[in-house]
Coordinates of all heavy atoms in Angstrom, one line a residue:
D40 N 8.6 5.2 19.4 CA 9.2 4.1 20.2 C 10.7 4.2 20.3 O 11.3 5.0 19.5 CB 8.8 2.8 19.5 CG 9.6 1.6 20.0 OD1 9.5 1.3 21.3 OD2 10.2 0.9 19.2
M41 N 11.4 3.6 21.3 CA 12.8 3.8 21.4 C 13.6 2.6 20.9 O 14.4 2.7 19.9 CB 13.2 4.0 22.9 CG 14.7 4.2 23.1 SD 15.1 4.8 24.8 CE 14.9 3.4 25.8
D42 N 13.5 1.4 21.5 CA 14.4 0.3 21.1 C 14.0 -0.3 19.8 O 12.8 -0.6 19.5 CB 14.3 -0.8 22.2 CG 15.0 -0.4 23.5 OD1 16.2 -0.3 23.4 OD2 14.3 -0.1 24.4
G43 N 14.9 -0.4 18.9 CA 14.6 -0.9 17.5 C 14.1 0.1 16.6 O 13.8 -0.1 15.4
T44 N 13.8 1.3 17.2 CA 13.3 2.4 16.3 C 14.3 3.6 16.4 O 14.9 4.0 15.4 CB 11.9 2.9 16.8 OG1 11.0 1.8 16.7 CG2 11.4 4.1 16.0
M49 N 17.9 -3.9 19.9 CA 17.2 -5.1 20.2 C 18.0 -6.3 20.3 O 17.7 -7.2 21.1 CB 16.1 -5.3 19.1 CG 14.8 -4.6 19.4 SD 14.3 -4.7 21.2 CE 14.1 -6.5 21.4
E76 N 9.1 -7.7 22.5 CA 9.6 -6.3 22.4 C 8.4 -5.4 22.6 O 7.3 -5.6 22.0 CB 10.2 -6.1 21.1 CG 10.8 -4.8 21.0 CD 11.4 -4.5 19.6 OE1 11.6 -5.4 18.8 OE2 11.7 -3.3 19.4
G77 N 8.6 -4.4 23.5 CA 7.5 -3.4 23.7 C 6.9 -3.6 25.1 O 6.4 -2.7 25.7
D200 N 6.6 2.6 15.4 CA 7.1 1.5 16.2 C 7.6 0.4 15.3 O 7.1 0.2 14.2 CB 5.9 1.0 17.1 CG 6.4 0.3 18.4 OD1 7.1 -0.7 18.3 OD2 6.1 0.9 19.5
N201 N 8.5 -0.4 15.9 CA 9.1 -1.5 15.0 C 8.6 -2.9 15.4 O 9.0 -3.9 14.8 CB 10.6 -1.5 15.2 CG 11.0 -2.0 16.5 OD1 10.6 -1.5 17.5 ND2 11.8 -3.1 16.5
A202 N 7.8 -3.0 16.5 CA 7.4 -4.3 17.0 C 5.9 -4.6 16.9 O 5.2 -3.6 17.0 CB 7.9 -4.5 18.4
Ligands
LIG301 CA1 10.7 -1.3 19.8

Side-chain angles (χ1 to χ4, degrees):
D40 169 56
M41 182 168 75
D42 290 289
T44 300
M49 274 317 297
E76 188 182 346
D200 207 295
N201 73 305

